[in-house]
């Protein structure tokens, strides 16, 4: 369970990226975070695994107060949280399998860390993760020879191999074409349902968000302006999240507005 | 699990190749250790090192700041002069040699022969040339200039050739299509392309030549090298310190300048 | 600045628009170049007449070297091998040590500003020291012989490979590094798994290139007593035994040629 209590984040350049954020996310939920560019979505997600420090408030993940962790504790904590990026962030010069194996590195004995020689068990685990996202046959191909969608699946497999409880995804489909995007979203859904991993996803594509997520969080100017079940999201809610105008909300009230 | 295990064993096997290369490298490495003879190492090495370092950090300021022919500034100027003149002469002579060894300009036997000559010129150490030129001009910076010129020919010609062989010939095609003569093609199609590249190479070489010129004094070919070596062999480490500081500052400044100019040349 | 002293030329187009053309810097560059050349000639006592008069002396020596004294070969063999060993050892050790040093000099992986700039300054200072001078100093500390030469080559390699390596590290795509951190790796591990694979082909290629150059350079280190074939070269030139010098140079050229071929072969495969 993830719980934000009065969380505030101010960057070193005085930008207030999060203000008084209060959110509670239960295990196994599929949450989509939507909002304009610069609203603070990435910041919100990155605070969860302490890629960013929060300035004040409390952020509790599974009973652990995240902002009190230090050094090694942070890294141990991060192992339980997978992260997916818009630009995949793979090591493109090496093979798919090696990219997945990387997720075992923090637990390896020193000599294996240095040499990068992995045991057979780990290789099988990594291949299993690749199988789960349907690209087992690409295991020995270099990443730069794959399509964008395939690369995002490698990233997904890397995260699965970590066996996380939570997956954070920062605009995972923003650089994919609509068809591939749909396939990747299907993967996320399957992982969420079958493995009971919570998914928290930033996404610009509202239709996708509404189709796949159970719950929508709307962010504007660092504040949570909407938090509720997907069914409750209407056009006026979207306008409110994206434009922030009450008038607009009133204006559309009468019309049948559902996306 | 079946398909997964099958994939596991389908891993392409570079292992043998890698082990082979690694073993060869390791053997070479161990073999090269046999060259290191430790019996000459004097037990006082550490003490000597600390005297040297102490001397270098308390430089002889008088030497560093006098403007006579013995002082560091004059010697540095002489070194710069050797490097400038040597680079210019070398560059002028390197251009025809470069064209003579470019396989897209002259028939390949000629190119091949010139290349062989260039390899020879490049490999002979600068100090050897220095000693040979001293027979021509006597001791002094003149010999240094000729030495720098000759080694520059070797290096510059090689880099020039690469530039010539990378020429963008599509421009020439389009010039032919609008009816240019050979002369016009060379003047407007080739020279503008090559000029800035050659200039950038020459400036880079000047940078290197300055370093070379600073040690030529070892054989009596002028520059700051001779006083440096004398001071060293007489264990006058404060003088060594003064000269080294001057040299290091000069080389750093020239390197900064040359990087900036070359950056501008590349960006146009 | 320049544009203020020499205002740009204005060209009026037929349709009334005015285009400003900056004055070419060519004249001032040429003037400076000629001044530099003039003073260089003064400083170095350059005299064309001497050159025209006595250039034959140079070729006199060259012709004395031909034919080389073939039976000098057994004397050359050992120092030549020593020279190769020195450069190999110095290059390998230098390149290996360059990795942690370059790590410390990369501003994108090490957050301590002072450490990063300190390491960078250290590397550029090392690089400005002429190798022959390092070698000479090394002979005072480590005694005459190959160890001093190896140390000099080690230092040069460290400085050269280290600089190129940190420049590459700083230009690397940092996304995968971030991903490794999000997996729970520390910065060092993230460097090993995200950045090292990206820079290693280039690193190996640079190291090989440096080794090529070092073989060539190691040949003169013996001149200051730092071991290898330079010692023989020094002797031969001192005694004016030019046929032997010719033989040494001949062997050197062949060796350097083969090492260049081999290294070029591997470098082509790396990139
Ligand atoms: N590292 C940083 N340092 C300073 N300010 C930052 C930093 N990262 C983000 N910001 C600022 O914080 C605010 C929120 O940024 P954030 O990246 O969280 O937005 P976002 O909702 O993810 O936008 P996008 O949809 O474009 O990714 C922006 O105003 C941004 O300029
Ligand atoms: Mg973002």
């Amino acid at each position: 369970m993830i719980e934000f209590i009065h969380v505030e984040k101010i960057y070193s350049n005085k930008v207030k990226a999060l203000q008084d954020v209060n959110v509670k996310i239960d295990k196994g939920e599929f949450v989509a975070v939507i909002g304009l560019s610069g609203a603070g979505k990435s910041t919100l997600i990155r605070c969860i695994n302490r890629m960013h420090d929060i300035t004040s408030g409390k952020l509790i993940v599974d009973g652990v107060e995240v902002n009190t962790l230090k050094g090694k504790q942070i890294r141990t904590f991060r192992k339980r949280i997978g992260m997916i990026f818009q630009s995949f962030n793979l090591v493109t010069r090496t093979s798919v399998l090696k990219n997945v194996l990387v997720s075992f590195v923090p637990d390896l004995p020193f000599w294996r860390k240095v040499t990068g020689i992995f045991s057979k068990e780990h290789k099988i685990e990594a291949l299993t993760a690749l199988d789960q996202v349907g690209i087992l046959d690409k295991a020995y191909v270099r990443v730069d020879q794959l399509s964008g969608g395939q690369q995002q699946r490698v990233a997904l497999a890397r995260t699965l191999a970590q066996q996380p409880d939570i997956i954070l995804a920062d605009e995972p489909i923003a650089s994919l074409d609509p068809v591939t995007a749909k396939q990747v979203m299907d993967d996320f859904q399957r992982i969420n349902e079958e493995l009971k991993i919570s998914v928290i996803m930033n996404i610009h594509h509202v239709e996708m968000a509404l189709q796949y997520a159970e719950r929508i969080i709307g962010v504007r100017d660092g504040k949570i302006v909407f938090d509720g079940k997907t069914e409750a999201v209407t056009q006026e809610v979207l306008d409110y999240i994206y434009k922030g105008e009450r008038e607009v909300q009133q204006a559309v009230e009468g019309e049948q507005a559902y996306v | 699990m079946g398909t997964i295990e099958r994939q596991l064993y389908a891993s392409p096997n570079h292992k043998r190749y890698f082990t082979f290369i690694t073993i060869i490298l390791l053997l070479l490495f161990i073999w090269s250790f046999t060259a290191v003879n430790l019996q000459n190492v004097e037990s006082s090495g550490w003490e000597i090192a600390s005297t040297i370092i102490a001397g270098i950090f308390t430089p002889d300021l008088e030497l560093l700041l006098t403007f006579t022919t013995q002082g560091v500034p004059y010697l540095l100027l002489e070194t710069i002069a050797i490097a400038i003149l040597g680079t210019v002469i070398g560059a002028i002579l390197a251009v025809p040699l470069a064209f003579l060894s470019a396989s897209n300009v002259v028939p390949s036997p000629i190119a091949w022969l010139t290349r062989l000559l260039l390899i020879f010129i490049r490999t002979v150490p600068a100090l050897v040339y220095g000693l040979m030129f001293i027979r021509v001009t006597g001791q002094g910076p003149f010999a240094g200039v000729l030495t720098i010129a000759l080694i520059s020919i070797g290096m510059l010609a090689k880099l020039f050739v690469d530039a010539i062989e990378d020429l963008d010939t599509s421009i020439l095609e389009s010039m032919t299509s609008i009816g240019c003569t050979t002369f016009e093609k060379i003047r407007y199609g080739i020279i503008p392309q090559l000029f800035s590249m050659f200039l950038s190479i020459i400036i880079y070489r000047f940078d290197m030549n300055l370093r070379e010129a600073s040690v030529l004094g070892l054989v009596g070919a002028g520059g700051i090298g001779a006083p440096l070596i004398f001071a060293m062999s007489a264990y006058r480490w404060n003088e060594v310190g003064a000269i080294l500081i001057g040299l290091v500052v000069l080389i750093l400044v020239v390197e900064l300048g040359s990087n900036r100019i070359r950056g501008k040349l590349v960006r146009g | 600045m320049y544009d203020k002293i020499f205002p740009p030329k204005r060209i009026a187009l037929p349709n009334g628009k005015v285009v400003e053309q900056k004055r070419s810097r060519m004249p001032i560059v040429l003037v400076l170049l000629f001044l530099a050349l003039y003073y260089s000639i003064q400083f170095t006592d350059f005299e064309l007449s001497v050159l025209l008069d006595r250039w034959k002396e140079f070729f006199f020596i060259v012709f004395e070297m031909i034919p080389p004294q073939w039976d000098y070969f057994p004397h050359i063999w050992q120092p030549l091998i020593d020279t190769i060993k020195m450069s190999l050892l110095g290059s390998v050790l230098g390149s290996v040590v360059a990795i942690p040093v370059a790590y410390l000099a990369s501003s994108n992986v090490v957050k301590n500003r002072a450490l990063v700039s300190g390491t960078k300054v250290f590397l550029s200072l090392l690089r400005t020291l002429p190798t022959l001078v390092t070698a000479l100093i090394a002979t005072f500390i480590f005694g005459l012989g190959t160890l001093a030469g190896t140390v000099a080559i080690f230092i040069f390699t460290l400085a050269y490979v280290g600089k190129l390596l940190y420049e590459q590290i700083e230009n690397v795509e940092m996304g995968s590094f971030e991903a490794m951190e999000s997996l729970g790796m520390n910065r060092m591990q993230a460097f090993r798994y995200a950045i090292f694979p990206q820079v290693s082909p280039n690193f190996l290629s640079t190291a090989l290139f440096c080794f090529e150059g070092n073989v060539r350079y190691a040949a003169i280190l013996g001149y200051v007593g730092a071991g290898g074939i330079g010692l023989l070269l020094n002797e031969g030139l001192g005694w004016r035994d030019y046929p032997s010098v010719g033989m040494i140079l001949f062997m050197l050229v062949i060796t350097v040629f083969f090492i260049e071929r081999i290294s070029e072969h591997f470098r082509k495969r790396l990139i």
Side-chain angles (χ1 to χ4, degrees):
Chain A
M1 193 181 73
I2 304 167
E3 198 173 357
F4 284 75
I5 306 168
H6 301 303
V7 169
E8 185 187 67
K9 163 79 190 169
I10 302 173
Y11 280 109
S12 48
N13 57 358
K14 306 275 191 301
V15 174
K16 250 193 192 172
L18 294 179
Q19 301 174 43
D20 194 29
V21 171
N22 290 289
V23 176
K24 204 185 220 178
I25 297 169
D26 283 320
K27 184 165 168 48
E29 279 195 81
F30 192 133
V31 182
V33 182
I34 59 175
L36 284 176
S37 235
K41 306 183 296 294
S42 301
T43 313
L44 183 78
I45 266 197
R46 278 155 184 265
C47 286
I48 298 177
N49 64 346
R50 196 56 198 279
M51 296 294 273
H52 288 325
D53 291 325
I54 61 176
T55 325
S56 68
K58 263 191 199 164
L59 175 53
I60 300 169
V61 177
D62 291 339
V64 184
E65 200 174 313
V66 177
N67 38 326
T68 60
L69 297 175
K70 284 194 206 62
K72 182 98 177 88
Q73 291 171 323
I74 298 180
R75 295 196 289 274
T76 322
F77 167 72
R78 278 182 187 160
K79 280 192 284 189
R80 303 205 339 260
I81 303 180
M83 193 156 196
I84 300 282
F85 305 83
Q86 174 183 346
S87 47
F88 324 136
N89 292 4
L90 299 166
V91 183
T92 50
R93 279 189 117 128
T94 52
S95 70
V96 168
L97 181 61
K98 280 201 178 133
N99 267 283
V100 179
L101 281 168
V102 146
S103 56
F104 303 118
V105 167
D107 292 325
L108 290 180
F110 181 72
W111 72 271
R112 282 195 190 273
K113 267 183 197 158
V114 174
T115 55
I117 298 174
F118 293 87
S119 66
K120 192 177 153 192
E121 289 71 38
H122 278 153
K123 280 186 188 158
I124 289 182
E125 271 185 62
L127 289 169
T128 314
L130 283 173
D131 197 24
Q132 280 170 337
V133 293
I135 44 167
L136 182 58
D137 54 323
K138 301 287 183 206
Y140 301 105
V141 178
R142 260 173 66 143
V143 169
D144 46 15
Q145 291 165 6
L146 298 183
S147 72
Q150 288 167 330
Q151 292 194 21
Q152 195 57 294
R153 288 176 172 184
V154 177
L156 210 47
R158 175 173 69 186
T159 301
L160 287 181
Q162 221 180 314
Q163 300 194 322
D165 304 322
I166 302 166
I167 291 182
L168 308 175
D170 195 350
E171 295 174 28
I173 56 166
S175 34
L176 303 178
D177 65 79
V179 178
T180 323
K182 217 161 157 30
Q183 290 168 350
V184 170
M185 288 302 281
D186 283 334
D187 284 334
F188 272 105
Q189 193 169 43
R190 208 157 28 75
I191 289 163
N192 173 250
E193 280 168 6
E194 289 175 9
L195 304 172
K196 304 277 174 285
I197 300 175
S198 324
V199 174
I200 300 161
M201 178 184 291
N202 284 349
I203 184 164
H204 276 304
H205 209 293
V206 177
E207 279 164 53
M208 286 280 193
L210 296 178
Q211 185 183 343
Y212 286 93
E214 305 159 356
R215 176 176 167 191
I216 304 283
I217 294 179
V219 184
R220 175 163 31 91
D221 293 335
K223 282 177 270 200
I224 305 269
V225 292
F226 177 84
D227 184 356
K229 287 252 172 287
T230 310
E231 295 79 47
V233 178
T234 56
Q235 183 60 47
E236 52 203 71
V237 170
L238 290 178
D239 283 339
Y240 181 52
I241 294 173
Y242 281 100
K243 300 188 186 120
E245 293 163 12
R246 286 276 170 197
E247 299 82 67
V248 177
Q249 194 182 353
Q250 252 102 53
V252 265
E253 198 121 45
E255 296 167 33
Q256 238 288 19
Y258 190 76
V259 181
Chain B
M1 213 55 185
T3 46
I4 288 173
E5 289 211 325
R6 221 174 304 134
Q7 253 313 30
L8 177 66
Y9 295 116
S11 124
N13 209 343
H14 297 304
K15 246 185 217 148
R16 204 171 292 166
Y17 181 72
F18 272 118
T19 340
F20 181 68
I21 298 267
T22 318
I23 288 178
I24 290 206
L25 282 180
L26 261 174
L27 285 180
L28 276 175
F29 184 61
I30 294 167
W31 171 72
S32 64
F33 258 105
T34 56
V36 176
N37 49 338
L38 293 169
Q39 67 262 32
N40 280 352
V41 179
E42 288 155 42
S43 50
S44 55
W46 184 242
E47 266 168 52
I48 299 175
S50 45
T51 353
I52 294 176
I53 291 170
I56 289 176
F57 279 102
T58 51
D60 185 341
L61 288 178
E62 202 181 323
L63 187 67
L64 189 57
L65 300 173
T66 46
F67 289 89
T68 62
T69 50
Q70 312 298 317
V72 172
Y74 179 87
L75 292 168
L76 286 178
L77 273 180
E78 187 177 285
T79 312
I80 298 174
I82 294 176
I84 290 179
L85 209 52
T87 311
V88 171
I89 297 176
I92 292 171
L93 295 177
V95 172
L97 277 174
F99 278 98
L100 278 181
S101 65
S103 53
N104 55 351
V105 179
V106 294
S108 59
I110 299 181
W112 203 78
L113 269 180
T114 328
R115 270 171 195 229
L116 211 61
L117 177 71
L118 286 177
I119 289 179
F120 229 97
I121 296 182
R122 271 208 305 278
T123 308
V124 175
L127 292 186
V128 176
Y129 288 136
L131 284 169
M132 287 162 78
F133 278 122
I134 282 175
R135 288 285 296 275
V136 179
T137 66
Q139 296 223 338
F142 191 7
V145 171
L146 297 179
T147 309
I148 295 291
L150 191 52
I151 55 172
S152 309
I153 292 178
M155 298 288 181
L156 284 175
K158 181 180 156 98
L159 295 174
F160 285 174
V161 175
D162 292 344
I164 294 171
E165 290 188 341
D166 282 349
L167 262 183
D168 183 0
T169 45
S170 59
I171 293 178
L172 299 188
E173 262 171 44
S174 68
M175 290 183 79
T176 318
S177 76
I178 55 172
C180 291
T181 64
T182 308
F183 171 76
E184 288 163 350
K185 275 193 273 184
I186 291 176
R187 170 66 185 79
Y188 293 99
I190 295 181
I191 290 183
Q193 274 191 61
L194 287 184
F195 184 73
S196 65
M197 260 202 280
F198 277 18
L199 207 57
S200 155
I201 293 171
I202 292 170
I203 292 171
Y204 169 75
R205 189 62 224 172
F206 171 69
D207 197 344
M208 297 289 115
N209 280 346
L210 195 63
R211 290 155 203 253
E212 295 277 355
S214 67
V215 293
L216 278 181
L218 189 62
V219 295
I224 203 166
L228 179 59
I229 305 288
F230 286 142
M232 279 209 228
S233 37
Y235 303 104
R236 291 197 298 265
W237 296 111
N238 331 23
E239 280 180 31
V240 175
I243 296 175
L244 278 185
I245 287 174
L247 194 57
V248 163
V249 169
L250 175 70
I251 292 180
L252 280 182
V253 168
V254 169
E255 186 182 295
L256 270 181
S258 105
N259 282 348
R260 282 188 95 174
I261 299 179
R262 283 192 296 137
K264 273 195 187 154
L265 279 177
V266 170
R267 274 177 267 113
Chain C
M1 177 65 178
Y2 186 83
D3 290 325
K4 286 211 185 95
I5 303 170
F6 300 97
K9 191 156 103 188
R10 301 171 76 86
I11 303 173
L13 298 184
N15 60 9
K17 284 185 185 159
V18 178
V19 182
E20 289 199 341
Q21 188 188 21
K22 283 189 179 172
R23 298 274 176 177
S24 162
R25 276 146 171 77
M26 210 54 186
I28 194 159
V29 171
L30 279 182
V31 167
L32 285 179
L33 186 65
F34 273 110
L35 277 181
L37 280 183
Y38 176 78
Y39 282 107
S40 298
I41 289 172
Q42 298 297 309
F43 257 108
T44 56
D45 312 319
F46 186 88
E47 272 176 73
L48 208 54
S49 57
V50 176
L51 199 58
L52 291 179
D53 227 26
R54 298 179 49 90
W55 60 273
K56 288 189 212 79
E57 284 288 318
F58 182 83
F59 288 94
F60 173 75
I61 302 178
V62 172
F63 286 121
E64 284 230 325
M65 289 180 188
I66 305 170
Q69 192 178 353
W70 301 109
D71 53 5
Y72 196 52
F73 180 76
H75 297 270
I76 299 175
W77 183 244
Q78 192 53 44
L80 187 64
I81 295 289
D82 276 351
T83 303
I84 298 176
K85 285 182 186 172
M86 262 161 60
S87 359
L88 188 64
L89 192 60
S91 309
V92 172
L93 290 178
S95 309
V96 171
V97 175
I99 299 174
V101 176
Y103 174 90
L104 293 180
S106 306
S107 55
N108 53 349
V109 284
V110 173
K111 283 290 156 240
N112 185 339
R113 293 259 142 253
L115 184 59
V116 168
S117 12
T119 318
K120 277 186 179 150
V121 169
F122 170 72
L123 278 180
S124 22
L125 285 185
L126 274 192
R127 226 153 33 82
T128 53
L129 282 183
T131 310
L132 214 54
V133 175
T134 336
L136 194 55
I137 295 181
T139 58
F140 287 111
I141 300 173
F142 300 102
L144 295 177
T146 42
L147 181 57
T150 311
V151 170
I153 291 178
F154 165 79
I155 290 179
F156 173 75
T157 310
L158 168 63
Y160 179 80
V161 177
K163 179 179 155 91
L164 289 182
L165 188 57
Y166 83 66
E167 282 176 352
Q168 276 160 21
I169 294 175
E170 289 188 336
N171 282 325
V172 129
E173 185 59 58
M174 284 303 276
S176 47
F177 186 86
E178 200 182 15
M180 302 293 156
E181 281 198 299
S182 83
L183 280 167
M185 292 193 197
N186 62 27
R187 296 184 89 80
M188 195 107 67
Q189 292 162 3
F191 171 80
R192 161 69 184 81
Y193 283 94
I195 295 182
F196 196 69
Q198 296 183 62
V199 296
S200 59
N202 250 316
F203 161 73
L204 286 177
S205 165
T206 316
L208 270 174
F209 183 75
C210 193
F211 169 63
E212 271 176 54
N214 283 343
V215 174
R216 201 172 278 169
Y217 214 88
I220 54 165
L221 290 184
Y223 208 91
V224 295
I229 202 159
L231 195 63
L232 288 185
L233 213 48
N234 193 1
E235 276 175 15
L237 288 165
W239 293 105
R240 304 205 170 171
D241 179 4
Y242 292 120
S244 301
V245 172
M247 185 60 195
I248 296 173
L249 293 180
F250 179 72
M251 290 300 297
L252 201 59
V253 169
I254 291 184
T255 313
V256 168
F257 181 77
F258 274 106
I259 287 181
E260 267 183 16
R261 284 294 102 157
I262 296 171
S263 137
E264 222 164 82
H265 168 81
F266 281 106
R267 280 196 287 132
K268 284 232 172 84
R269 296 190 64 177
L270 277 170
I271 301 173

